Amino acid sequence: MRQNWWKLLASILVLYSIIGGFLIPVPALPILHESIRNLFFHVPMWFAMLTLYLISVIYSIKYLNTGNEKYDLIAVESVNTGVFFCFCGLATGMLWANITWGAPWPNDPKLNSSAISTLMYLAYLVLRNSLDEEQKRAKISAIYNIFAFPVMIALLFILPRLTDSLHPGNGGNPGFSNLDLDYNMKWVLRPTFIGWILMGVWIMTIRYRIRLLENKKNNI
Amino acid sequence: MKRFFLTLSLLIILAFQTFGQASEVEMATGLRTSGKIYVVVAVVALIFIGLVIYLFSIDRRLKKLENQD
């Protein structure tokens, strides 16, 4: 249990964010109303996804440096878990957009580029499955992953800022951080990010360990 | 002509009324004062605690499998 302290920390932080997210006072805004509380649940999904993709790209580089198969497994399981969080983020975002923007998918640059980056990572998984030889698969997918990561960052955080976007924090549309003068939303928001990121890493390590066991069984 | 002014004034009054309503943002304060929001928080928290316990149990079973080899 001693080396699992961060799993407990993740659980406590997310629990705190659920209780705090529902109960703390929030700014009263038109259109948004109470749905501003979605900030505590929708945004951390994307942060968890980003961290997992970052771990994936780090382990892809490590794989290319050393040729250790375990690094390749961490990279692919990070993407697997990241894609899960990505779909959670897309689904919650569509629900939120439906009541605030009037449609689940207005053709907004932020939304479309997030769809493209999702497809990019799904293509990574398809690419892996299409190659049979293990070393070749690991090498090609690691290189693909290294190229995909900066493109994903550009699609999600740079391109939407250059145009007009409905999404807060993009294209001249202010984020929620400037509202946070009287309200202590950031004291719930920051632990939430850490909590969900750790939850994502935890799920990834479980998937990785299962994958290791499967590999061991297949080799015998 | 008289009727025209009557409807016009009525419209203006109506417009002002809707403006007055729009300036006040409706929040779910009623839900919280009645105390019922805590039930929802408790339910969501309970579901999350259940999920965490489930994750920990998966973790433990995995550890057992790893130690077998």
Side-chain angles (χ1 to χ4, degrees):
Chain A
M1 199 61 208
R2 190 163 293 160
Q3 72 269 34
N4 286 343
W5 61 271
W6 58 277
K7 296 170 183 171
L8 207 63
L9 178 73
S11 324
I12 290 165
L13 286 180
V14 175
L15 197 63
Y16 165 74
S17 83
I18 289 170
I19 295 166
F22 273 111
L23 297 180
I24 62 159
V26 289
L29 297 171
I31 301 171
L32 273 173
H33 303 281
E34 291 284 352
S35 85
I36 192 172
R37 292 179 195 278
N38 268 355
L39 206 64
F40 304 118
F41 305 104
H42 164 75
V43 186
M45 296 294 116
W46 294 104
F47 273 80
M49 179 206 79
L50 265 181
T51 314
L52 286 163
Y53 286 173
L54 182 69
I55 291 169
S56 175
V57 82
I58 289 169
Y59 276 92
S60 283
I61 293 168
K62 269 188 156 177
Y63 172 77
L64 288 178
N65 273 341
T66 59
N68 190 341
E69 197 197 354
K70 282 181 179 175
Y71 293 152
D72 179 52
L73 294 181
I74 293 178
V76 65
E77 289 305 349
S78 296
V79 170
N80 272 328
T81 320
V83 164
F84 170 77
F85 278 99
C86 174
F87 276 104
C88 283
L90 281 176
T92 53
M94 278 165 76
L95 271 176
W96 199 3
N98 203 21
I99 60 133
T100 50
W101 298 339
W105 200 280
N107 276 322
D108 191 75
K110 183 86 165 181
L111 275 62
N112 286 341
S113 57
S114 73
I116 296 167
S117 68
T118 309
L119 289 175
M120 221 161 57
Y121 276 94
L122 288 177
Y124 168 82
L125 296 173
V126 172
L127 176 74
R128 280 191 72 90
N129 287 334
S130 64
L131 296 166
D132 278 331
E133 212 228 309
E134 276 169 26
Q135 287 194 338
K136 202 176 182 182
R137 173 174 64 198
K139 220 171 248 173
I140 291 175
S141 59
I143 293 164
Y144 178 92
N145 197 13
I146 290 167
F147 280 106
F149 186 75
V151 176
M152 187 268 293
I153 295 289
L155 278 170
L156 287 185
F157 297 102
I158 298 168
L159 291 179
R161 293 207 169 140
L162 299 176
T163 55
D164 294 327
S165 175
L166 287 166
H167 197 285
N170 291 286
N173 202 350
F176 288 116
S177 51
N178 54 344
L179 294 167
D180 209 11
L181 297 170
D182 307 325
Y183 300 90
N184 285 319
M185 277 165 70
K186 58 174 175 284
W187 295 116
V188 176
L189 206 52
R190 284 169 192 171
T192 308
F193 291 155
I194 300 167
W196 278 108
I197 286 169
L198 289 177
M199 286 297 283
V201 174
W202 182 10
I203 295 167
M204 182 273 280
T205 55
I206 286 176
R207 291 192 62 120
Y208 163 67
R209 283 155 63 190
I210 292 172
R211 186 64 84 101
L212 266 188
L213 281 180
E214 281 173 357
N215 258 26
K216 210 177 257 175
K217 214 167 213 173
N218 288 342
N219 287 342
I220 289 167
Chain B
M1 204 61 197
K2 201 177 169 190
R3 189 176 281 172
F4 171 75
F5 277 115
L6 214 73
T7 39
L8 193 71
S9 54
L10 200 73
L11 272 175
I12 288 168
I13 289 165
L14 266 176
F16 270 108
Q17 262 184 339
T18 44
F19 251 115
Q21 275 165 358
S23 64
E24 208 167 298
V25 176
E26 188 192 328
M27 301 297 269
T29 40
L31 197 67
R32 257 196 300 283
T33 49
S34 68
K36 299 245 163 59
I37 188 73
Y38 297 108
V39 182
V40 183
V41 177
V43 166
V44 177
L46 208 69
I47 290 171
F48 180 73
I49 291 169
L51 269 177
V52 164
I53 292 169
Y54 187 51
L55 259 180
F56 268 115
S57 80
I58 290 172
D59 213 318
R60 210 168 36 241
R61 275 174 69 183
L62 200 57
K63 184 137 262 171
K64 256 182 212 158
L65 269 178
E66 279 169 338
N67 290 339
Q68 263 176 20
D69 304 315

